Amino acid sequence: MTSTEMGITANEEKVASGKKTPPAMVMLVGLTAGLGAILILLLMVFILPSLKSGAHDLRVGVVGAPAAVSSFERSLATAAPDAYEPQRYDSEAGLRDAIEHREVVGGFVVDEAGVHTLVASAGSASISGSLTGTAQAVGQATGEKVTVEDVVPLPEGDPTGIGIGGLAFPLVFGGIVPVVAFRKIFPRSNGWYLAGLITFSAVGGVIVASMLTFGFGSIDAGLWSTGFWAVAGSIALGVAALAIPLAACRMRSAPKVSPSVRWS
């Protein structure tokens, strides 16, 4: 059969099936618009967060005499507009306790000696750096002495927090690759497919938490401590939160099997 005959046959089949191919110009415009929308979305995803990043309405504690605190709050609003939401505390001990319990991200003790800045780098190194920079800016503007104390520091094994900051790739790997791998092993058994994903999520959480604790020193906790298992559980939930929805999408397109062989 020649190419002309094959083309005629194909056209006849399309007419017989009742399907009409859109005009070439319509397909060109439609595909161009769709790809353009994807391009805009990618630009927003990768560039917009950097443009809009920074401190916004972060709760910070302030301790001191009412007049000194009021003056400091005005200086704080001038140095970093809309960046912080000051919360007044009666004592420095109360402020420290609030920082340790994550009620505020940091704080300032204002007295005759200057501004004593309390930060928690273990909560967020970037926020701690922002607080320090803002306090120094206020000190330069008012001529007051500024000191900084890290109330909740990062572990000595990972003083910069690189271990915690690098969790994005393991979480994405753990949430995507097992979805494909377990479907290859259990192509017709949704029960075992989900069981594999849930098991891997739990095991993966323990593995990552163990590496952060004993391999990198990013978490200062023992194996049987509450902190270790809290980290392991949160990582496991993160992996499962990505893997299970993706698996559900794949299960919808998988061939249906009878309940009697689903776990076989």
Side-chain angles (χ1 to χ4, degrees):
M1 181 180 296
T2 64
S3 59
T4 302
E5 292 173 342
M6 293 177 63
I8 294 173
T9 302
N11 289 333
E12 291 176 348
E13 291 178 352
K14 290 181 180 179
V15 173
S17 61
K19 295 181 179 179
K20 294 182 179 181
T21 303
M25 181 58 67
V26 174
M27 292 191 295
L28 185 148
V29 173
L31 183 58
T32 301
L35 294 176
I38 294 175
L39 183 60
I40 293 174
L41 180 62
L42 291 175
L43 289 172
M44 294 179 65
V45 169
F46 288 99
I47 296 179
L48 191 60
S50 298
L51 292 176
K52 299 299 182 179
S53 62
H56 294 285
D57 299 325
L58 295 175
R59 297 185 63 183
V60 294
V62 185
V63 175
V69 169
S70 297
S71 177
F72 175 80
E73 288 176 348
R74 290 192 295 269
S75 300
L76 186 66
T78 302
D82 301 323
Y84 303 104
E85 182 181 341
Q87 305 287 327
R88 297 190 181 187
Y89 286 84
D90 296 331
S91 65
E92 182 177 344
L95 174 57
R96 288 175 178 270
D97 184 69
I99 295 173
E100 292 177 357
H101 288 84
R102 302 181 65 86
E103 297 175 6
V104 292
V105 298
F108 307 94
V109 179
V110 184
D111 54 26
E112 62 278 0
V115 178
H116 186 53
T117 307
L118 303 178
V119 300
S121 60
S124 173
S126 60
I127 292 178
S128 298
S130 178
L131 280 172
T132 301
T134 301
Q136 292 173 347
V138 171
Q140 291 177 357
T142 59
E144 297 179 338
K145 180 181 178 181
V146 176
T147 57
V148 180
E149 179 184 353
D150 197 344
V151 178
V152 188
L154 287 162
E156 295 181 359
D158 186 11
T160 59
I162 294 178
I164 300 296
L167 285 178
F169 177 75
L171 288 176
V172 172
F173 172 87
I176 295 178
V177 175
V179 173
V180 178
F182 280 106
R183 177 49 85 188
K184 293 290 185 181
I185 297 177
F186 304 112
R188 296 183 177 276
S189 177
N190 291 337
W192 285 111
Y193 182 37
L194 290 176
L197 293 177
I198 294 172
T199 301
F200 176 81
S201 298
V203 173
V206 174
I207 291 174
V208 174
S210 297
M211 289 298 299
L212 291 175
T213 303
F214 307 110
F216 305 143
S218 301
I219 300 174
D220 188 11
L223 177 61
W224 303 112
S225 65
T226 303
F228 175 88
W229 290 104
V231 172
S234 61
I235 293 173
L237 290 175
V239 172
L242 180 58
I244 292 178
L246 291 176
C249 294
R250 292 181 61 88
M251 288 166 60
R252 290 187 61 183
S253 60
K256 296 183 179 180
V257 295
S258 61
S260 59
V261 298
R262 188 159 294 171
W263 284 85
S264 60

